[in-house]
Amino acid sequence: MRKSSIAFAVVTDSDGFRALEDDWNKLSDSLRPAHFFQIFNWCWLAWQHVSSRRGRRLRLLVGRVDGRVVLIWPLMVVGPFLRFLGSDLFEYHDVLVLPGPQRSAWLKAALRAAKKLGGAALLLRHVRQDADLATFLLPQKIGGRSNTAERSWLIRLDEFSGWQGYLAALPQHLRSDQRRQWRRLAALSSPARFEVVENCDDQLALVQWMLAEKIKWLEARGGAAGELFTSTEYRDFLHGVVPALARENSVMTCRLAAGEENIAASLGFIHRNHFFFFIFTYDPKWASFSPGRLLMSKVIEWCFEHRMETFDMAWSGDDYKSVWSNGQLSVGDHLIPLTVEGRIIETWHGTGCSRFFARPWFKTVARCAPASVRRAIGGRLGSNAKLIADMRPR
């Protein structure tokens, strides 16, 4: 592509969002599979079911060169921040930008254009180290703060000759326990089986079962289920995205079952021979059979059979993921001030002010302050306080 200046437009409403579908899909098709969570259907349904319902303001930054869309940055305004548009579930974030020699110049121009979108700072969460945005930000001297507190666990399936080769690389004690547990399940009056669920209604029923079991699993351990599994917005998002992506053969739901009873189940997504292991759970009463590990092995075996190249387990510190994986990538968060207010927010947290003013005695004193002052500190300065305070200068 010859050199030409990039021109930006901002989409702020659902009609304009929907009108981008064809251009968005063309751009997505030219990008790496790691951009799965920025495909049009994912972002559109996240906006419809989650972000718009929560009062967030849409800011899609669209860059064109000679009329062709070469960059889309899905953003929204949340409090004082510009954040990635998404479902708030287990997803990576990135900018969609056409590969080529002008990529860095386009991203630099997009960063300048972001200053006009209404946020005090960019708060960019869950950016993988190999993301286009991360590789652009690392060498840039643009200030701000960042951290890399999470790891993304991967199985690079293409490094093995097949399922048997991968299985042989697992610890002996794990393989032995797997065989023992399968024998136990086979001895039940209704022997357990693994099955892939393909009917849309059955997929949605299984998703609903998984959400319910996640709540039971957390409550059994004395924890709160939280909005992640109880929110009607998240439920509606999953009930929208599963059939939409199933029509594109991008959904894999499966279960371990005994008779008609679910033992364990999982939901994953497929994007150009890369598999994203999204949600899985099991009924706690079957815990002695290690159903999570049994299901995991069957899903990995299915991925080998269907010639997947990677099996992505997303981020978290869960020890079980390291046993299965042969690779990992860091996942970071970035704060980039855009305005004077953004620099104040960065300084406020960077100097430890947020921790000082969070002390119980100060909260008591603060009740005497005018309501407008309390809203400014508690709302805008206090938003994402711990996350930003734990970041380090770039």
Side-chain angles (χ1 to χ4, degrees):
M1 180 181 292
R2 65 181 176 84
K3 275 199 170 184
S4 187
S5 60
I6 186 169
F8 289 101
V10 183
V11 173
T12 61
D13 58 57
S14 294
D15 289 341
F17 193 156
R18 192 76 200 185
L20 274 175
E21 183 172 5
D22 289 343
D23 286 327
W24 194 310
N25 287 333
K26 288 175 185 176
L27 181 58
S28 292
D29 289 344
S30 67
L31 303 179
R32 297 177 301 109
H35 290 87
F36 168 71
F37 296 107
Q38 279 72 61
I39 64 173
F40 179 84
N41 274 335
W42 188 277
C43 290
W44 169 250
L45 291 166
W47 170 248
Q48 290 290 299
H49 293 296
V50 181
S51 295
S52 65
R53 293 190 193 179
R54 297 189 166 190
R56 297 162 179 178
R57 291 172 286 158
L58 186 65
R59 296 291 186 272
L60 301 180
L61 188 61
V62 183
R64 290 181 172 87
V65 173
D66 296 333
R68 180 186 182 187
V69 174
V70 299
L71 182 149
I72 297 175
W73 196 345
L75 293 167
M76 58 186 177
V77 178
V78 186
F81 301 115
L82 273 173
R83 287 177 42 191
F84 280 113
L85 171 65
S87 69
D88 296 342
L89 292 170
F90 313 104
E91 57 199 33
Y92 304 117
H93 293 124
D94 202 358
V95 179
L96 295 91
V97 56
L98 192 70
Q102 297 187 70
R103 185 188 70 125
S104 183
W106 291 338
L107 286 169
K108 190 174 294 186
L111 198 57
R112 290 195 299 268
K115 294 181 179 180
K116 302 175 183 178
L117 300 184
L122 282 160
L123 183 60
L124 307 173
R125 302 214 58 199
H126 303 138
V127 180
R128 239 168 58 165
Q129 72 181 66
D130 62 342
D132 289 329
L133 186 62
T135 56
F136 164 74
L137 288 175
L138 288 175
Q140 301 295 316
K141 305 297 182 184
I142 57 176
R145 306 176 72 82
S146 64
N147 66 19
T148 52
E150 303 282 1
R151 290 175 294 179
S152 172
W153 298 97
L154 305 171
I155 307 173
R156 303 185 190 278
L157 304 173
D158 53 1
E159 294 184 1
F160 297 93
S161 58
W163 164 247
Q164 291 300 326
Y166 170 77
L167 187 62
L170 293 176
Q172 176 63 41
H173 69 85
L174 176 61
R175 287 180 282 148
S176 298
D177 186 63
Q178 295 281 97
R179 290 192 294 268
R180 183 175 69 87
Q181 301 296 4
W182 281 119
R183 287 195 297 269
R184 291 179 64 206
L185 287 173
L188 297 173
S189 57
S190 296
R193 67 190 184 279
F194 169 77
E195 61 183 25
V196 176
V197 177
E198 297 180 335
N199 175 273
C200 183
D201 290 339
D202 293 339
Q203 288 177 329
L204 294 178
L206 199 60
V207 167
Q208 194 61 34
W209 181 85
M210 282 189 275
L211 294 175
E213 290 303 318
K214 280 288 189 183
I215 294 171
K216 285 167 53 179
W217 186 86
L218 287 166
E219 290 176 345
R221 284 155 180 76
E227 67 175 358
L228 188 61
F229 302 113
T230 60
S231 162
T232 56
E233 291 94 341
Y234 294 143
R235 181 203 63 201
D236 291 348
F237 168 72
L238 288 174
H239 280 227
V241 82
V242 167
L245 297 186
R247 289 191 288 272
E248 302 172 6
N249 297 316
S250 296
V251 171
M252 191 274 202
T253 51
C254 62
R255 66 176 189 155
L256 288 180
E260 295 303 312
E261 184 176 2
N262 292 325
I263 298 173
S266 77
L267 165 66
F269 299 103
I270 304 145
H271 188 53
R272 304 212 307 258
N273 294 329
H274 293 260
F275 185 81
F276 297 88
F277 194 56
F278 196 64
I279 297 176
F280 89 105
T281 191
Y282 60 87
D283 186 331
K285 77 177 185 181
W286 295 89
S288 66
F289 289 85
S290 302
R293 291 207 308 263
L294 299 182
L295 183 68
M296 174 79 80
S297 68
K298 282 297 185 181
V299 178
I300 296 171
E301 184 177 0
W302 181 93
C303 286
F304 273 107
E305 291 172 355
H306 290 79
R307 301 182 182 276
M308 298 293 118
E309 295 176 26
T310 62
F311 185 102
D312 192 318
M313 290 181 273
W315 67 87
S316 83
D318 294 331
D319 291 338
Y320 81 89
K321 293 182 179 180
S322 64
V323 175
W324 299 93
S325 70
N326 64 338
Q328 60 177 280
L329 292 167
S330 63
V331 179
D333 304 319
H334 305 269
L335 176 74
I336 304 171
L338 300 175
T339 67
V340 172
E341 183 188 1
R343 288 192 287 274
I344 291 172
I345 290 172
E346 180 193 6
T347 303
W348 175 267
H349 296 293
T351 56
C353 289
S354 60
R355 289 191 172 98
F356 178 81
F357 288 108
R359 294 176 180 176
W361 66 265
F362 183 81
K363 291 181 179 180
T364 301
V365 174
R367 294 192 185 100
C368 300
S372 59
V373 174
R374 293 200 305 270
R375 283 195 298 271
I377 295 176
R380 296 183 75 83
L381 282 176
S383 179
N384 292 278
K386 185 178 187 309
L387 172 68
I388 300 171
D390 288 342
M391 291 182 179
R392 298 290 178 265
R394 288 178 42 78

